[in-house]
Amino acid sequence: MSDVNWPFIPADMPEITRTEGVFLFDAAGRPILDAAGGAIVANVGHGRERVVARVAEATRDTTYVVPPWITPSRRALVEVLERDWLPESLPHMHLTSGGSESVETAVKLAAQFHAARGEPDRSIIIARSPSYHGTTLTTAALSGHAARKRGLESMLGSHPVVPTPYPLRCPLGRESDGMGAWYAQALEDAISELGSGRVAAFLAEPITGSSGGAIVPPDDYWPRIREVCDRHGVLLIMDEVMTGFGRTGRPFGYQHWDVTPDILVSGKGLAGGYAPLGGVFASAAIGEAIRHARMNVMFHTFGAHPAACAAAAEVLTILTEENLVERARVMGERLKAGLITRLGQHPHVAEVRGRGLLLAVEIVRDRASLEPYEESDNIAGRIVGEGLKEGVFFYGGGTGEFRDIVCMGPPFIIDDGHVETMIETLATAIERVCP
Ligand SMILES: Cc1ncc(COP(=O)(O)O)c(C=O)c1O
């Protein structure tokens, strides 16, 4: 355990001196199964020599070059993205250094697009709760994540919010028909109330990440949302920072439904943890409007860093060559089925949910009424702590009223043995914390 003054508020954090495959190793050499892929990042696993080699090569050959210029690694990444990953409908790309910067860029692009077309009053972004979009002031303000805003409330601008579809707690009932239509109507009502000429975009995660714990919306939700946005001239921004690049068993989360965003935002898995990188991908209409209006899409100094582009090009190539998106789907189904068998009827487990290898278990005091534990009980934090004692790193999630959520997002290369270890360790941790 660490004795250094780290992080900002010092806490007893593990010291990791090596990572390899699906494991982290602490200073004593003890292996920790990385069931969270870090912060749901390490999609191809740790320590891949071929990625390390490409990063070294790019650093040696083109250490730093201003982001708008072209380098071999930038060219390679664009080629891979266009060939294997992005839909033709999203040809414009802007690369940043992470998720928050990317969401912020997406929001700015939406405002610029409308201003460029002569509708500068379309400046409102509608977001959802629960959600998480980042830690800059704008992206925090847009996040339906009370816990991460504490003490900042007075600085954060207010944005209209509609509820994230949450089948477990849907007021219509968990299995009700028309659930997606009901949640989509909330967006339609919000737009009508604000006036459609004032709304720039709707910002949402296709499958909610750790804030809600891998919440999958009902199947009629996204097609209806697309209709609502189209009817009102509102752009649809999909935040795929957590779900993008195979995490949910499809290249992108939105592809589980018949819907395409106007702006797609990525981060985390894009470079798989080998370097900081985020990407924003926009439609031709958006790119062309901003270009014709001669507006600036300013870069961040470290955006599209050559080493990060090299890492991403190689990570994305590995995903394709090793068929890892399909593996995420298959292993995710096995992990979810195993969790349901082992924990599905546990008196304190409200639900096991998610898609692909973005999965979560929601813990409650009472399974029938869904009454949560007290916040001060810190249930999810203690479960994560117990997991770590047993050598497995789970990711704590949840916020506000729905706070006790344990997320899983391991590298796509996990095998059946790892799946078994995750299930048994989580069961043990839950038994200890919620006897
Ligand atoms: C859906 C989503 N959007 C945005 C972010 C912010 O990304 P970053 O932490 O790289 O700034 C995150 C991070 O967890 C996320 O999960």
Side-chain angles (χ1 to χ4, degrees), residues 98-101 103 132-135 148 205 239 241-242 268 395:
S100 305
E101 285 180 6
V103 175
Y132 184 61
H133 299 294
T135 188
R148 291 182 182 167
E205 301 156 77
D239 179 349
V241 169
M242 191 170 278
K268 293 184 187 275
Y395 201 60

Side-chain angles (χ1 to χ4, degrees), residues 170-230:
C170 176
L172 301 180
R174 196 172 174 175
E175 308 289 341
S176 61
D177 284 340
M179 197 191 288
W182 187 81
Y183 281 104
Q185 187 62 42
L187 176 63
E188 178 112 47
D189 293 346
I191 295 173
S192 302
E193 204 171 299
L194 294 158
S196 32
R198 296 177 58 219
V199 181
F202 177 53
L203 168 67
E205 301 156 77
I207 294 175
T208 305
S210 64
S211 61
I215 304 176
V216 181
D219 281 338
D220 59 333
Y221 178 72
W222 278 116
R224 295 234 179 199
I225 289 287
R226 183 69 266 186
E227 276 168 34
V228 171
C229 288
D230 288 345

Side-chain angles (χ1 to χ4, degrees), residues 48-72:
R48 297 262 193 165
E49 283 300 337
R50 56 186 276 194
V51 186
V52 175
R54 296 302 293 270
V55 170
E57 183 185 62
T59 307
R60 187 185 56 236
D61 293 349
T62 53
T63 304
Y64 178 83
V65 179
V66 282
W69 293 15
I70 297 166
T71 70

Side-chain angles (χ1 to χ4, degrees), residues 3 86 120 223 235 315 331 343:
D3 56 359
L86 294 173
L235 295 179
V315 162
M331 297 312 289
L343 290 166

Side-chain angles (χ1 to χ4, degrees), residues 123-149:
S123 58
I124 296 175
I125 307 290
I126 302 179
R128 306 190 308 183
S129 186
S131 67
Y132 184 61
H133 299 294
T135 188
T136 60
L137 289 178
T138 297
T139 56
L142 287 164
S143 299
H145 200 308
R148 291 182 182 167
K149 300 198 223 193

